[in-house]
Each structure stands twice: as structure tokens, then as C-alpha cells.
Amino acid sequence: MKIINNFLPNNVYKNLYDYIASENFAWFFYDKSVHDENKDHFMFCHTLFTNKVGVNSHEFNFMWPLLTHISAESPHHNLLRIKANLYTQTDTIKEFAKHEDYPDLEEYTTFVYNFDTSNGYTKFFYEDKTEIIQREANSLIMFNGKTEHFGTTQSNKKTSIVINFDFN
């Protein structure tokens, strides 16, 4: 795992954040997380790219500066997916289901880019331990995609936005 704080130059980060957090960016309601059958949790998502469809959104070009910086960090260069998640505030932090993004793949890299700081987090599961990485604005978490993980809601702000990238 690799964590890079202050991942994007401030002006690039600010432009991206101002757009994705605005009313001009479309969000789509999911009544559960993608891997979670628990209907008590919900989120808003926007899938910008999948390897089966290709570009899936007119917002894809907006993501280009972030994609360029992440591609430079990735040991793999075949883009599988870009999916933005918007979590809403909950009274207590809700944990989504533990998962791998692509369980059928042997080798791939997952990136979680945090657009803002909140008390939400990503939790990682290893054979002998777990690790929690707090959500911090403009930070990137890069990890082996075979590592089981989950995200959470947050209880200290109205919304929190992360974007997931997968490469193989």
C-alpha cells in the first residue's frame, strides 16, 4: 500500500473539487453499496468508465487531470473502471461490505482518491491484521486490488466524495 498526501497540485485539486461538489455534476442513487446486500446503507455514484463499455459519461473528460496523475503511479496501464462515490452524513459511521472490486482477476491495482476530509475511512483486511486509512482531502491510496477493503459513511459533514480507479 502507498499513500500520497497532497496528491494533486492545489489549483488542479481545487478545480476538480469545485466541479464534482457542485450541482453541475450528476449523481445516481444506489440503494446499497455495489457489494452490499444491506439495504440500510445507500450512496450516490457516477461510473465514468468501465472496460466493458468504455467511456460511460460525458464527465469523463473532467477526470482527465486526475487520471493522468494516477496513471503515472500505476504499475498497470489497462484502465478497468472509474467510479465516483458520494456518501451522505449518518448519525454514526456506517461500514459497507468487505469486498474486492474485481474478484475474478489475478492481478490489478486499485486507487482510492479522497476529495475531502471527514471522519469516514477505508478499512483494509490482511491475513493477520486490519488497517484503517482516514479520509483526507487530496490524498491517494494505492493498493493491490486483491486486498479486501470497504469504505464508510461519515458523521461529521453532509457529504464526502471519493473516486475509485482500477487498472490491470
Side-chain angles (χ1 to χ4, degrees):
M1 177 184 304
K2 180 178 180 181
I3 301 169
I4 305 172
N5 292 316
N6 301 307
F7 180 66
L8 295 173
N10 279 341
N11 63 324
V12 174
Y13 163 72
K14 182 170 177 13
N15 286 340
L16 290 173
Y17 178 79
D18 287 349
Y19 184 68
I20 200 167
S22 77
E23 68 275 3
N24 297 318
F25 192 88
W27 292 100
F28 303 93
F29 177 76
Y30 282 57
D31 68 351
K32 61 180 180 171
S33 87
V34 173
H35 305 280
D36 197 350
E37 292 303 321
N38 182 350
K39 297 277 187 168
D40 292 339
H41 299 13
F42 69 91
M43 62 199 294
F44 293 86
C45 298
H46 190 122
T47 303
L48 294 107
F49 180 93
T50 67
N51 61 330
K52 292 180 179 160
V53 174
V55 174
N56 194 44
S57 168
H58 68 278
E59 306 290 1
F60 179 83
N61 288 339
F62 143 81
M63 201 56 59
W64 194 251
L66 182 54
L67 179 58
T68 300
H69 281 81
I70 289 176
S71 294
E73 295 291 329
S74 182
H76 303 102
H77 299 289
N78 180 40
L79 181 61
L80 296 170
R81 182 178 67 166
I82 303 173
K83 184 171 78 73
N85 298 329
L86 183 144
Y87 303 109
T88 58
Q89 185 175 18
T90 52
D91 290 336
T92 60
I93 293 173
K94 306 278 189 195
E95 296 178 338
F96 289 102
K98 179 170 63 168
H99 67 278
E100 295 175 27
D101 291 356
Y102 287 91
D104 295 336
L105 291 181
E106 288 297 317
E107 186 177 337
Y108 66 102
T109 303
T110 298
F111 297 84
V112 175
Y113 179 78
N114 296 300
F115 265 103
D116 49 54
T117 300
S118 74
N119 63 354
Y121 55 87
T122 304
K123 186 171 186 177
F124 298 90
F125 295 83
Y126 305 100
E127 286 183 23
D128 58 344
K129 67 176 184 167
T130 61
E131 184 174 9
I132 291 175
I133 306 298
Q134 291 296 142
R135 214 170 282 151
E136 183 176 327
N138 195 19
S139 67
L140 181 73
I141 307 167
M142 174 179 145
F143 59 97
N144 179 331
K146 298 303 288 179
T147 305
E148 289 189 310
H149 61 283
F150 64 69
T152 69
T153 63
Q154 70 289 339
S155 63
N156 67 335
K157 63 183 298 190
K158 287 183 181 180
T159 61
S160 187
I161 300 170
V162 304
I163 298 186
N164 298 314
F165 295 78
D166 293 293
F167 290 85
N168 75 342

